[in-house]
Amino acid sequence: MSDLSRRRVLATGVTAALTLGALATGTAAASAHSAHPSKPGHSTPAAHHAIPFTAATVTQQANGSFSISWTSAPGVGRVSVYAGRDQQHIAHGHALATGRGTATVTVPSPGTADRWWFELVPDHGQPLTIADRSLHLASAPNFRDAGGYRTTDGQWVRMGVLYRSGDLSALTDADLATLHRLGIRTDIDLRTATERGTAPDRLPSGTRYVVADVLGDALSGALPTTEDAAEQMMTEGERTMVSGDNAKKAYTTLVDAAADPRAAAVVYHCTAGKDRTGWASATLLTALGVPRATVVQDYLASNTYRAAENAAALAQLPEAMRPAYKALLDVRPEYLNAGFDEVARKYGSFDRYLDAALGFDSRDVRELRRRLLVG
């Protein structure tokens, strides 16, 4: 491979995937309205004030239609589906679709919008508003809503408040306009100084830019040449995100921004949007009470959103190099688990990690949940 080809591979994301910063040059969502009145014709008994959905997803198809699936708790017999261009303006005239307590429906695109939101109105209990998690930005394929997950106690993480992404340096003017209309006003950049200098963020007008460098520029090392060595590098990087001094300061900044009741929507990102950003989401979702299995699911979704980028990068490499590089480009359960293991080893519990490492005590966590949970 020529030097030029190698540089192109690195630029397309191979070294961007490294969590250690050694080469720093380099699926559906849901939310709810906690105070939403029941729709006419839908009774809401006093015993059923909670959001009675245990799962819900929206996926926009290639032809523009939407596949909407849900699973309800016992007692829900019928669900009606309504749509709107934002969460506050959902039309409740004619239902786009109806289904039983557990169902999948397909609806045509209601029209043109930055995002379509779909409200599931059960015959008992509070409604749930869901949207496709992805913003479908060609310039940032891993830009997606970080909310919309159900907690262990039946609440839901607000959607449209927290977003996660990879590199923002290639956002188009149209993308910037979309993000501005969606209310994104804070950008938390988790990258190193080298990364920020090489590929500075493009931001919507009026966006507050905050540097929260997780790794710093102190770490360096040679590229791994085997898959095992690459996996070890990734797991060690995950542990550094938990216990490293830079990491603790950076994630404190992030959680503070997420908890700020005065803040509008926040996007946080690194270069690939999968490792430093992945631990950021794992931290926030765990603090909010989202089950570990769901946190892992959110983490692994980067493999889907980055599939085309990763395939293009690997295609430029000699076949012998691909296993090691694939391990760097992937997210794998063992990587994230290394972070949780480090939390248990060093702090004993996640609550203790939030307190001792990030300065978030139980009162702060309650405030975070008050801002970000509904239902």
Side-chain angles (χ1 to χ4, degrees):
M1 177 186 294
S2 68
D3 288 342
L4 177 59
S5 296
R6 181 179 294 277
R7 286 196 297 271
R8 287 174 175 167
V9 171
L10 298 181
T12 56
V14 172
T15 57
L18 292 175
T19 61
L20 290 180
L23 298 178
T25 56
T27 325
S31 68
H33 303 291
S34 58
H36 203 298
S38 297
K39 303 300 175 292
H42 296 286
S43 61
T44 308
H48 294 281
H49 287 301
I51 297 169
F53 296 96
T54 59
T57 61
V58 169
T59 305
Q60 186 171 13
Q61 309 296 326
N63 64 2
S65 66
F66 293 86
S67 175
I68 307 168
S69 299
W70 64 84
T71 301
S72 303
V76 174
R78 186 178 181 83
V79 176
S80 300
V81 180
Y82 302 89
R85 287 182 170 84
D86 58 56
Q87 297 184 69
Q88 288 71 43
H89 300 91
I90 293 180
H92 296 118
H94 176 69
L96 295 178
T98 59
R100 296 185 180 276
T102 297
T104 297
V105 299
T106 299
V107 301
S109 173
T112 302
D114 293 323
R115 290 181 90 180
W116 278 104
W117 301 73
F118 298 90
E119 188 170 72
L120 309 183
V121 181
D123 52 7
H124 296 294
Q126 294 182 7
L128 174 68
T129 303
I130 60 176
D132 188 338
R133 176 165 285 112
S134 175
L135 296 191
H136 298 280
L137 302 180
S139 61
N142 206 11
F143 199 124
R144 49 189 163 112
D145 204 301
Y149 291 114
R150 189 176 187 268
T151 66
T152 55
D153 63 359
Q155 298 184 83
W156 289 80
V157 181
R158 289 185 184 275
M159 191 163 66
V161 179
L162 299 176
Y163 294 89
R164 53 175 295 173
S165 184
D167 176 31
L168 301 181
S169 67
L171 292 178
T172 65
D173 289 343
D175 293 337
L176 294 176
T178 295
L179 299 185
H180 190 270
R181 287 191 296 268
L182 291 176
I184 296 173
R185 298 293 184 269
T186 301
D187 169 28
I188 309 293
D189 192 340
L190 305 175
R191 300 176 301 164
T192 65
T194 303
E195 290 170 293
R196 300 192 304 271
T198 301
D201 284 356
R202 296 201 71 208
L203 302 173
S205 176
T207 300
R208 181 171 70 105
Y209 178 69
V210 180
V211 172
D213 185 344
V214 173
L215 298 175
D217 286 321
L219 296 174
S220 62
L223 278 173
T225 57
T226 67
E227 184 174 9
D228 286 347
E231 289 178 342
Q232 182 177 354
M233 174 179 279
M234 298 301 284
T235 56
E236 287 298 325
E238 199 76 23
R239 294 187 185 100
T240 298
M241 291 179 220
V242 171
S243 55
D245 289 339
N246 274 79
K248 288 184 284 189
K249 292 176 184 177
Y251 291 127
T252 295
T253 298
L254 171 68
V255 178
D256 281 343
D260 186 351
R262 303 163 299 175
V266 174
V267 59
Y268 51 92
H269 78 98
C270 54
T271 295
K274 69 185 189 71
D275 300 311
R276 288 162 287 185
T277 300
W279 184 251
S281 283
T283 296
L284 289 169
L285 294 177
T286 302
L288 292 169
V290 174
R292 176 81 165 267
T294 305
V295 173
V296 174
Q297 174 189 335
D298 175 74
Y299 174 77
L300 294 177
S302 285
N303 285 334
T304 299
Y305 290 111
R306 289 183 46 80
E309 282 185 293
N310 291 352
L314 291 172
Q316 297 184 59
L317 292 168
E319 187 171 352
M321 297 175 63
R322 291 175 188 171
Y325 276 91
K326 187 176 188 304
L328 300 176
L329 291 170
D330 281 352
V331 285
R332 299 180 180 182
E334 55 266 34
Y335 302 167
L336 185 63
N337 288 339
F340 282 111
D341 290 345
E342 182 72 0
V343 167
R345 183 191 70 82
K346 188 159 185 178
Y347 300 101
S349 70
F350 210 88
D351 285 344
R352 181 61 184 156
Y353 164 68
L354 292 172
D355 191 354
L358 307 187
F360 252 62
D361 61 20
S362 58
R363 180 178 178 179
D364 296 322
V365 171
R366 286 195 298 272
E367 290 300 318
L368 180 74
R369 292 178 177 177
R370 184 174 293 113
R371 165 167 159 75
L372 295 176
L373 295 182
V374 291

